[in-house]
């Protein structure tokens, strides 16, 4: 990609440039992690089961097959995983059809990445039908591609989605900055060898080697992301 906008920052060593930015969706760009839990509570309530609030931290950030499977086992609900998946996606799609708030700083960050022609991908464990609805709000022009949880054989916490996104963008995983809000997503990105910015939503995430933790996307801009690559030397 090329851009008429001057590049921000400088390359301090050969190969130290940021090659791509890979962004999670729920809880990272859109304030929807609570939506999923609300829908799960409603669906299981209709099935005659109450969900324990402590389970929220178990199901957050993972693929629907894992979270839905856990809730079926935990409650003993008489429903198949396939049927529950349909109900959860239907309920979530209804929710985002009524309101879809962006996380603070999300719109500004996406606009900046687009303005400077930074290869950008949306990488989510949500299904394609959900991603496509959310993209109408985020703006599909902000992303070169998107990877859905039902389009890979192994989704987060496995590295497959991030490795696929990097490969499709022609970027080295080590030169990709990933922005995530859950431990599951962080694990996937780190297993792929990416530099990670964690913006915790539901549960805390501790700093670690190759991982930077911030409190809000408002702390993240292109210079910040390029700085992560510079730190690698």
């Amino acid at each position: 990609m090329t851009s008429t906008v001057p590049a921000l920052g400088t390359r301090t060593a050969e190969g130290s440039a940021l090659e791509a930015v890979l962004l999670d969706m729920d809880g990272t760009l859109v304030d929807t992690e609570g939506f999923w839990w609300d829908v799960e509570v409603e669906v299981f309530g209709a099935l005659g089961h109450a969900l324990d609030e402590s389970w929220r931290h178990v199901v957050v950030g993972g693929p629907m097959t894992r979270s839905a499977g856990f809730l079926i086992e935990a409650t003993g609900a008489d429903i198949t995983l396939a049927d529950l998946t349909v109900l959860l996606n239907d309920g979530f799609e209804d929710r985002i059809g009524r309101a879809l708030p962006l996380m603070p700083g999300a719109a500004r960050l996406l606009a900046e990445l687009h303005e400077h022609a930074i290869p950008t991908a949306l990488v989510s464990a949500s299904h394609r039908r959900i991603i496509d609805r959310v993209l109408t709000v985020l703006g599909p022009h902000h992303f070169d591609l998107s990877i859905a949880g039902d389009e890979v054989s192994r989704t987060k916490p496995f590295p497959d989605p991030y490795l696929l996104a990097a490969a499709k963008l022609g970027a080295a995983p080590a030169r990709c900055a990933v922005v995530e809000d859950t431990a599951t997503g962080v694990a996937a990105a780190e297993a792929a060898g990416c530099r990670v910015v964690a913006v915790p939503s539901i549960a805390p995430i501790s700093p670690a080697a190759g991982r930077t933790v911030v409190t809000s996307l408002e702390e993240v801009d292109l210079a910040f992301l390029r700085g992560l690559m510079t730190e690698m030397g």
Side-chain angles (χ1 to χ4, degrees):
M1 286 187 169
T2 59
S3 173
T4 57
V5 179
L8 298 182
T10 59
R11 184 180 298 196
T12 59
E14 183 60 32
S16 66
L18 173 70
E19 294 183 0
V21 177
L22 316 177
L23 298 146
D24 175 53
M25 187 177 76
D26 294 301
T28 299
L29 294 176
V30 288
D31 191 6
T32 50
E33 289 291 12
F35 284 15
W36 281 114
W37 178 249
D38 291 343
V39 170
E40 287 160 350
V41 168
E42 288 178 3
V43 168
F44 276 90
L47 295 171
H49 298 276
L51 300 188
D52 191 304
E53 183 69 23
S54 66
W55 296 343
R56 183 172 185 171
H57 297 290
V58 178
V59 301
V60 67
M64 184 174 292
T65 51
R66 188 196 74 182
S67 57
F70 168 83
L71 292 174
I72 290 174
E73 183 175 354
T75 61
D78 184 18
I79 189 171
T80 66
L81 182 59
D83 288 342
L84 179 58
T85 296
V86 171
L87 291 177
L88 292 176
N89 273 325
D90 285 348
F92 186 78
E93 198 164 356
D94 177 66
R95 284 290 179 111
I96 63 177
R98 287 181 268 150
L100 185 56
L102 300 188
M103 297 298 286
R108 187 262 315 146
L109 177 60
L110 290 176
E112 184 180 19
L113 294 175
H114 180 67
E115 179 184 9
H116 290 270
I118 303 299
T120 303
L122 186 66
V123 183
S124 175
S126 290
H127 289 186
R128 170 54 58 186
R129 60 178 285 196
I130 300 299
I131 287 179
D132 285 345
R133 284 293 300 275
V134 174
L135 278 172
T136 64
V137 175
L138 291 176
H141 64 284
H142 287 127
F143 304 94
D144 295 274
L145 61 92
S146 57
I147 305 292
D150 56 344
E151 294 173 341
V152 289
S153 58
R154 301 189 308 174
T155 188
K156 304 172 188 179
F158 294 100
D160 305 36
Y162 283 115
L163 291 174
L164 178 61
K168 284 181 172 290
L169 291 175
R175 298 299 172 189
C176 293
V178 170
V179 185
E180 274 279 0
D181 74 303
T182 67
T184 299
V186 167
E190 291 181 344
C194 303
R195 300 287 289 189
V196 179
V197 179
V199 193
S201 59
I202 302 298
I205 299 173
S206 300
R211 178 196 311 167
T212 302
V213 180
V214 298
T215 59
S216 168
L217 281 184
E218 293 182 315
E219 299 175 44
V220 181
D221 58 15
L222 183 51
F224 178 93
L225 296 174
R226 281 186 163 144
L228 298 179
M229 301 301 117
T230 302
E231 290 171 11
M232 296 173 62

